[in-house]
Amino acid sequence: MVDHADALVFFGATGDLAYKKIFPSLHSMIRHGRLNMPVIGVAKQGWNLEQFKARAKASLDEHGGADPEALKKLFSLLKYVDGDYKSPETFQELRRTLDGAKHPMHYLAIPPSMFATVGEGLAKSQCNQGARIVVEKPFGRSLASARELNATLREYFPEDAIFRIDHYLGKEPVQSLLYSRFANAVLEPLWNRNYVASVQITMAETMGVQGRGRFYEEAGAIRDVLQNHIMQLIACLAMEPPAGEGEPLRDERAKALTLVRTLTPADVVRGQFAGYLEEKGVAKDSTVETFAAVRLWIDSWRWADVPFYVRVGKCLPVSCTEIIVDFKKPPQRVFREANIGRPNHIRFRVSPEVVLAMGVRVKKIGEALEGTSVELIAQRHPHDEMEPYERLLLDAAAGKADFFAREDQVEEAWRVVDPILGNPTPVEVYAPGTWGPKQAQDLLQQGCTWHDPRDEPDDPDA
Ligand code: BG6
C-alpha cells in the first residue's frame, strides 16, 4: 500500500508554471473535494504569505475565475517559505513549515540546472525522507544530459519516488487511447503490420513562439515536443498488452520505445516559419526548427515495415493534435465505382476536442454500387473534463505512477532523436499558416499524403 502525500511543496512558487498551471489545478482539486493537505510554496522573491496569496488569486482570476469557497479553502491551505535554494536556512524553515508531515511531495517547478541544489538541500535537511519528487520537462537536452539529470535526481530520491510529468500522458484522450486498445478484443487482430498501412501523428499549433523566443532557441520543435509528448503517444500506440495497470503499463511503454529505430538525418525535414528570426530572444542566424516532420520505424514483430509519420510545428493552419491509424486497402477491387475513397482508418483526436472514430466505406443510398467514406464516432467530447495537471498531481499524491515517464523511457526517447538534434539538415523556411516545408511530402511512401485534420469525412446522406 503506497502512502498518500500529506503535504505539497512547490519550488518556483512565484514562477510562470505555478501561475499558469499549478494554482488553477489546485483550485480545481478543491472544487472536486480532492485537496486536503497543506500547500507550501517556496521561492526566492522576498515575499510574504499575503503576497503569495495575492499571486494565487491573480492566477485564478486570469484562468477562468476563482470560486469564492474554493479560494477560501485554498488560502487556508497555503503556506510560504521565502529563501535562497542554496541556503540551508531555507530548508530548515521548510522543515518547520512541514510540521511533521511524513510524506511530502516536492514539485520542482524550477529549471533543471537547479535540481541538484534543491535535491541536496532537501537531503541535508532530511525533507527527502519518505518524500516523493515531481519534475517537469525538459528531462535533459540530449541522451547524455538526460542521463546526467537522472543520476542527479537518483542521488537524493529512489526511482519509485521520482514522478516525471509529461502532461500528454495526463490527457483524457491519451488515456482513452490506451483504454480502447486493451479493453476491446476486436482491435487486437487489426493492430499490427498485417492490417495497418501507416500511422500518422500531427501536432499542429497556429500560435508562434509567443514571446518565448529565448526558451525556444534552446529547444526547437524536436526537443520541445517530439522527444517527449510524441514519443509517449508512439509508446501508447505501439506497446504490447501490459499484464495490468501500474508498473506493467510503464514496462510496456518503455519496451516499445526500445524498438523504435534511431532516427537519421534522412528521416527528418526541419522547417522554420518566416518571421521567426525577428522574434525577441532569437538569434538573427538561428537554425532552430519550429517545424519537424519525421518518418519512424519500429523494429518489432508487430510493426516491422509500418511507417510512423509525425509532423509537429508552430504557425501551422490549425491547432490540433491527432493520430490517424490508416489500414490497408481491400485486396481486390470488386466494385466499378470511380472513386474508391480512403481506406479504413481510426482517428484519435487528442486536442482540441476528444474524438475516437473509425473511418469506413458505406454504400451511398441509391441505385449505383457506389460508396462514400464516413466515420463511426465512438466518442466525441468538446474538451478534456479535467486538466492534465490536476489528474497528474492527484496521481502523484496517491503514489500512482502509471502516467509518468520513467527514467528508461526518457532515455530511450532521447536515443531515438539524438542524431537529429542541432542542425543535422538545412532548416527550410515556410510561410506562417501553411503546413511547413513542401519537402515533408518526400518522407511519405508513394500514394500517401499528410492528413489535414480539417478534412471531415463525407456526409453519407448528402
Ligand atoms: C508544451 C510545449 O510542452 O506543450 C509547448 O513546451 C506546446 O511549446 C505545448 O505549445 C502543447 O501542449 P497542449 O496541451 O496545448 O497540446
Side-chain angles (χ1 to χ4, degrees):
M1 177 72 189
V2 186
D3 293 302
H4 200 281
D6 51 6
L8 168 61
V9 181
F10 62 111
F11 290 83
T14 56
D16 212 37
L17 185 71
Y19 189 78
K20 286 192 184 141
K21 300 286 183 193
I22 302 179
F23 289 123
S25 300
L26 297 175
H27 176 252
S28 186
M29 283 181 205
I30 291 173
R31 295 187 68 185
H32 294 138
R34 305 286 300 275
L35 186 69
N36 281 308
M37 56 184 161
V39 177
I40 307 169
V42 188
K44 185 192 169 197
Q45 195 79 25
W47 282 9
N48 58 28
L49 180 59
E50 288 317 306
Q51 286 166 297
F52 184 52
K53 285 182 180 169
R55 173 84 172 168
K57 177 158 187 322
S59 152
L60 300 181
D61 287 345
E62 201 180 319
H63 298 96
D67 170 273
E69 279 306 303
L71 185 66
K72 208 162 124 202
K73 168 99 190 202
L74 178 62
F75 280 180
S76 75
L77 298 174
L78 284 185
K79 295 169 195 268
Y80 180 67
V81 173
D82 196 88
D84 194 323
Y85 299 151
K86 291 199 191 85
S87 154
E89 286 80 60
T90 306
F91 292 89
Q92 274 144 25
E93 176 63 15
L94 173 60
R95 197 164 162 74
R96 274 193 294 279
T97 312
L98 277 169
D99 197 19
K102 292 201 165 40
H103 302 289
M105 174 163 110
H106 302 292
Y107 186 150
L108 305 193
I110 51 174
S113 55
M114 298 298 297
F115 285 3
T117 312
V118 170
E120 195 184 334
L122 289 171
K124 284 198 171 145
S125 59
Q126 299 195 329
C127 290
N128 66 340
Q129 302 292 310
R132 58 188 69 119
I133 194 160
V134 181
V135 294
E136 268 290 326
K137 81 179 185 62
F139 310 121
R141 290 183 42 75
S142 61
L143 178 55
S145 59
R147 284 185 176 143
E148 246 172 66
L149 189 64
N150 281 329
T152 303
L153 292 172
R154 292 291 295 277
E155 261 183 61
Y156 308 108
F157 290 89
E159 176 61 26
D160 63 3
I162 304 173
F163 288 70
R164 295 176 191 79
I165 290 198
D166 181 315
H167 80 279
Y168 261 59
L169 287 175
K171 284 185 184 267
E172 175 70 44
V174 177
Q175 300 195 356
S176 164
L177 152 66
L178 264 182
Y179 185 87
S180 300
R181 271 203 64 197
F182 301 118
N184 292 297
V186 292
L187 284 183
E188 175 56 22
L190 307 179
W191 212 257
N192 55 53
R193 64 194 305 275
N194 299 326
Y195 288 91
V196 176
S198 64
V199 177
Q200 272 194 30
I201 304 178
T202 295
M203 180 179 178
E205 295 177 287
T206 52
M207 65 186 186
V209 293
Q210 293 192 307
R212 295 197 306 159
R214 191 186 298 271
F215 156 79
Y216 210 77
E217 280 287 275
E218 291 296 312
I222 296 172
R223 286 191 171 97
D224 188 33
V225 297
L226 198 127
Q227 182 275 339
N228 38 72
H229 306 328
I230 297 292
M231 294 305 283
Q232 290 291 355
L233 292 182
I234 289 177
C236 294
L237 281 165
M239 67 193 267
E240 294 300 315
E245 290 185 40
E247 213 49 27
L249 263 174
R250 305 215 292 173
D251 291 340
E252 292 301 339
R253 289 206 305 273
K255 197 174 97 196
L257 292 182
T258 62
L259 297 168
V260 179
R261 202 182 294 170
T262 304
L263 286 162
T264 69
D267 301 312
V268 61
V269 171
R270 298 186 319 123
Q272 187 184 81
F273 65 80
Y276 175 72
L277 298 179
E278 281 78 60
E279 293 275 343
K280 194 161 164 261
V282 170
K284 289 291 160 248
D285 56 352
S286 172
T287 55
V288 166
E289 76 283 346
T290 60
F291 171 97
V294 299
R295 178 185 48 214
L296 284 139
W297 301 100
I298 303 181
D299 294 318
S300 70
W301 190 282
R302 187 185 286 272
W303 295 115
D305 303 324
V306 177
F308 281 63
Y309 301 121
V310 175
R311 59 181 175 168
V312 298
K314 305 272 186 198
C315 284
L316 299 187
V318 62
S319 285
C320 180
T321 298
E322 177 164 283
I323 302 164
I324 304 274
V325 177
D326 273 311
F327 292 99
K328 292 184 175 172
K329 292 194 186 98
Q332 186 201 347
R333 186 162 178 176
V334 174
F335 305 108
R336 280 190 298 269
E337 62 187 332
N339 172 15
I340 56 167
R342 185 175 164 189
N344 304 126
H345 67 266
I346 290 186
R347 177 199 303 269
F348 295 98
R349 182 165 289 180
V350 173
S351 72
E353 65 269 288
V354 178
V355 178
L356 167 53
M358 175 148 196
V360 291
R361 295 284 294 166
V362 293
K363 184 186 164 301
K364 273 194 212 158
I365 306 287
E367 189 187 347
L369 278 173
E370 277 178 6
T372 184
S373 299
V374 295
E375 275 193 343
L376 308 175
I377 312 263
Q379 194 172 38
R380 187 195 275 280
H381 200 72
H383 51 78
D384 232 341
E385 283 294 303
M386 215 174 174
E387 276 292 317
Y389 275 87
E390 179 183 358
R391 191 178 269 128
L392 292 173
L393 285 177
L394 286 171
D395 278 2
K400 183 171 178 254
D402 302 27
F403 295 107
F404 288 83
R406 206 170 59 186
E407 179 177 24
D408 51 347
Q409 293 169 6
V410 170
E411 291 183 8
E412 280 302 328
W414 278 117
R415 190 258 311 148
V416 173
V417 302
D418 223 40
I420 60 160
L421 297 175
N423 195 13
T425 57
V427 71
E428 313 287 345
V429 174
Y430 60 95
T434 65
W435 280 109
K438 59 179 185 333
Q439 289 86 337
Q441 180 63 32
D442 304 339
L443 293 172
L444 307 183
Q445 271 168 346
Q446 221 188 357
C448 203
T449 51
W450 290 102
H451 294 302
D452 186 330
R454 293 169 300 182
D455 289 346
E456 289 291 326
D458 301 346
D459 177 350
D461 300 324

